[in-house]
Amino acid sequence: MTRRPPLVIGHRGAPGYRPEHSRSSYDLALEMGVDAVEPDIVVSRDGVLVVRHENEISGTTDVTTRPAFADRRTTKTVDGETLTGWFAEDFTWDELSTLRAVERLPEIRPASATFDGQQPILRLRDVLDLVRAASLAQGREIGVVVEIKHATYFAGLGWDVAALLAAELREAGWAAGELPLVVESFESTVLARVREHGVRGSYVYLLEASGRPFDLFAVQGRAARTYPQTASPAGLDELVGRIDGISVDKRMILAPDRLGHATGPSRIPADAHERGLRIFTWTCRPENRFLVGQFRGRGGPAAFGDYEAEWALIRDAGVDGVFVDHADLGVGFFAGAEAGTGAGTGVR
């Protein structure tokens, strides 16, 4: 991919306008000119890779309205967090395919919620095929950024997510490097396993602003390195040669103080680039609810604040890619931006 940084990645499609991970969300993002789209994957009871933000699906599907599935409601512990709801791994793909997508944030995005109940949920294969078709139709390379969710949790249920993903990518023609592919996860161990399967692409380690990765915590307990420690110079040193880049919570770049005012940009982008690592950030959203303090405006949480001022700080920090919910705004703001030298801009 030849565009200058930062790449604009449609975060679950274009969920600022349509229910996330729905067909229309992806179609809209692709029409609006994103460089790549990002599907999250979880596993069904019969081993199908399903595109959902989380394995608990009551917030993004109409499962709560389906009497036939009422007895599937249960309580589980996922990555150390106790959750009650309906879980993808308790349904076959045939059952999941009867569900319809709904808006996860209806109070913030009521216009998107008007599309509730209209579209089935998707498999990873559906998104891979959709992006390939859009690339051909538009005459440009469009990438896929696959996020693996809860790999250690699914391993405890007997699923090798790395093997499932490698097989799916290979069958769909996305594993040999001819199409722009990124594999990302908050768990570094699953990234290593996917790479061992010979999948050619870029491998990106997702970092939260706080906490520890569950794969390491499950083995090392509180001795496991935290995400902020991983983003330190010493932590980044240990990533060199193992991954191609990191993708950080935008707060790790903006560095808000106790009043919510950005004090950044932080040193993290420069530190990553000095070690030959790319750096992406998530998620650039225009609504007040998601902006740091000084960029919020009037009109309540759903109104747009001074998002361009916040995004300018992120752009000027030198990031190589940004995840956006409003694809048109992201492309309009970041396309062609001079975002520093970076460590390479392609998603191959």
Side-chain angles (χ1 to χ4, degrees):
M1 299 175 69
T2 56
R3 277 197 31 198
R4 291 176 294 178
L7 297 171
V8 179
I9 303 161
H11 182 238
R12 310 170 200 162
Y17 304 109
R18 300 290 188 275
E20 64 185 39
H21 291 314
S22 64
R23 171 65 187 262
S24 66
S25 182
Y26 286 108
D27 282 342
L28 197 57
L30 295 167
E31 290 168 7
M32 289 175 169
V34 295
D35 297 301
V37 294
E38 183 227 26
D40 304 309
I41 57 169
V42 298
V43 186
S44 72
R45 190 169 74 191
D46 49 350
V48 175
L49 296 179
V50 181
V51 176
R52 286 290 91 192
H53 172 51
E54 296 291 345
N55 59 325
E56 202 289 294
I57 58 175
S58 65
T60 60
T61 75
D62 63 356
V63 68
T64 63
T65 70
R66 304 297 186 93
F69 298 138
D71 62 351
R72 306 285 177 93
R73 186 173 186 268
T74 188
T75 299
K76 301 188 179 191
T77 300
V78 180
D79 294 359
E81 181 180 0
T82 300
L83 302 171
T84 297
W86 286 258
F87 295 83
E89 62 269 20
D90 295 332
F91 296 77
T92 66
W93 167 247
D94 284 346
E95 291 172 328
L96 289 170
S97 68
T98 69
L99 301 178
R100 296 297 180 263
V102 302
E103 172 55 45
R104 186 170 60 90
L105 302 168
E107 72 285 1
I108 300 296
R109 294 168 177 171
S112 175
T114 65
F115 294 88
D116 283 1
Q118 298 181 20
Q119 302 170 77
I121 66 176
L122 304 174
R123 303 164 300 173
L124 175 61
R125 180 60 182 269
D126 299 323
V127 177
L128 295 173
D129 291 347
L130 177 64
V131 174
R132 180 194 291 272
S135 295
L136 291 172
Q138 297 183 26
R140 65 188 182 96
E141 282 193 322
I142 308 173
V144 170
V145 180
V146 180
E147 180 180 345
I148 301 170
K149 292 283 189 173
H150 310 303
T152 298
Y153 169 80
F154 282 114
L157 300 178
W159 292 114
D160 183 343
V161 182
L164 291 174
L165 176 59
E168 186 79 85
L169 292 171
R170 193 163 287 113
E171 183 177 336
W174 282 80
E178 67 268 36
L179 296 169
L181 174 70
V182 170
V183 181
E184 64 176 7
S185 179
F186 288 101
E187 301 184 20
S188 60
T189 52
V190 73
L191 296 178
R193 292 198 300 273
V194 176
R195 177 168 269 169
E196 288 169 359
H197 281 278
V199 173
R200 296 183 60 188
S202 293
Y203 289 82
V204 171
Y205 192 14
L206 288 160
L207 303 181
E208 295 266 18
S210 62
R212 292 175 171 83
F214 188 72
D215 56 337
L216 302 184
F217 180 78
V219 175
Q220 303 172 19
R222 297 191 65 82
R225 187 184 295 274
T226 67
Y227 287 121
Q229 287 171 337
T230 301
S232 71
L236 294 175
D237 285 341
E238 294 188 10
L239 300 180
V240 174
R242 297 170 49 204
I243 62 167
D244 300 299
I246 58 174
S247 184
V248 303
D249 184 326
K250 68 177 184 179
R251 290 176 295 167
M252 299 174 76
I253 295 174
L254 296 171
D257 60 21
R258 288 184 296 176
L259 297 177
H261 293 173
T263 64
S266 72
R267 279 282 312 170
I268 294 174
D271 288 341
H273 288 155
E274 287 172 4
R275 289 156 178 81
L277 298 170
R278 294 184 203 135
I279 180 166
F280 297 168
T281 192
W282 47 274
T283 302
C284 290
R285 297 173 168 126
E287 295 102 338
N288 282 324
R289 174 174 170 177
F290 305 111
L291 298 173
V292 298
Q294 79 260 42
F295 302 124
R296 294 174 185 163
R298 297 178 178 178
F304 287 10
D306 189 7
Y307 67 90
E308 290 186 323
E310 182 182 281
W311 292 7
L313 285 178
I314 291 169
R315 177 198 63 204
D316 296 343
V319 296
D320 301 295
V322 293
F323 291 83
V324 299
D325 280 5
H326 296 70
D328 56 339
L329 301 183
V331 170
F333 184 84
F334 291 107
E338 291 290 350
T341 57
T345 63
V347 299
R348 286 191 187 276

